């Protein structure tokens, strides 16, 4: 399934900047960045649960926010993209 993850991390102090880097690094390991604080992650239910738990351990819920949008398995019909920075089809063929 495709899960869209968005986040807003308060970076007013050094701890916030560290949380921001850790959240981004964790999301990169599961998907692709499509905007500064937006990731598309193709995961199964177990991976999704694990990722959510890991992210919730990183953020400070008093200062930061996380949003998960569950687009399911038929996500290709739900996404339109216009403009620069095209994305890679994560389930497509990869030729090296």
């Amino acid at each position: 399934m495709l899960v869209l993850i968005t986040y807003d991390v308060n970076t007013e102090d050094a701890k916030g900047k560290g949380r921001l880097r850790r959240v981004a690094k964790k999301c990169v390991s599961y998907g692709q960045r499509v905007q500064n604080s937006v990731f598309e992650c193709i995961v199964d239910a177990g991976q999704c649960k694990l990722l959510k738990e890991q992210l919730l351990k990183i953020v400070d819920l008093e200062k930061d926010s996380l949003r998960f949008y569950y687009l399911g398995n038929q996500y290709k019909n739900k996404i339109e993209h216009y403009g620069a920075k095209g994305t890679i089809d994560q389930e497509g063929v990869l030729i090296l």
Side-chain angles (χ1 to χ4, degrees):
M1 78 175 136
L2 178 69
V3 179
L4 189 70
I5 300 173
T6 67
Y7 55 88
D8 187 20
V9 176
N10 182 316
T11 58
E12 292 177 354
D13 59 18
K15 287 183 180 181
K17 291 175 184 174
R19 288 192 311 274
L20 178 66
R21 284 190 299 276
R22 290 194 312 275
V23 167
K25 186 175 180 179
K26 184 58 63 181
C27 288
V28 164
S29 67
Y30 282 86
Q32 68 176 331
R33 184 186 299 254
V34 293
Q35 297 284 325
N36 284 338
S37 296
V38 180
F39 283 81
E40 291 177 349
C41 301
I42 297 178
V43 293
D44 61 32
Q47 291 170 318
C48 185
K49 182 179 179 184
L50 179 62
L51 175 57
K52 186 192 307 187
E53 289 171 358
Q54 292 170 339
L55 292 174
L56 287 171
K57 287 179 183 176
I58 296 171
V59 297
D60 179 344
L61 295 178
E62 297 291 321
K63 299 177 181 179
D64 310 329
S65 67
L66 277 173
R67 294 180 71 98
F68 296 84
Y69 298 88
Y70 303 98
L71 300 180
N73 292 323
Q74 303 300 321
Y75 65 89
K76 290 184 182 184
N77 299 328
K78 299 175 185 177
I79 299 171
E80 293 183 8
H81 173 81
Y82 303 96
K85 291 189 177 182
T87 59
I88 297 170
D89 180 1
Q90 296 181 57
E91 294 182 311
V93 176
L94 178 62
I95 299 173
L96 300 174

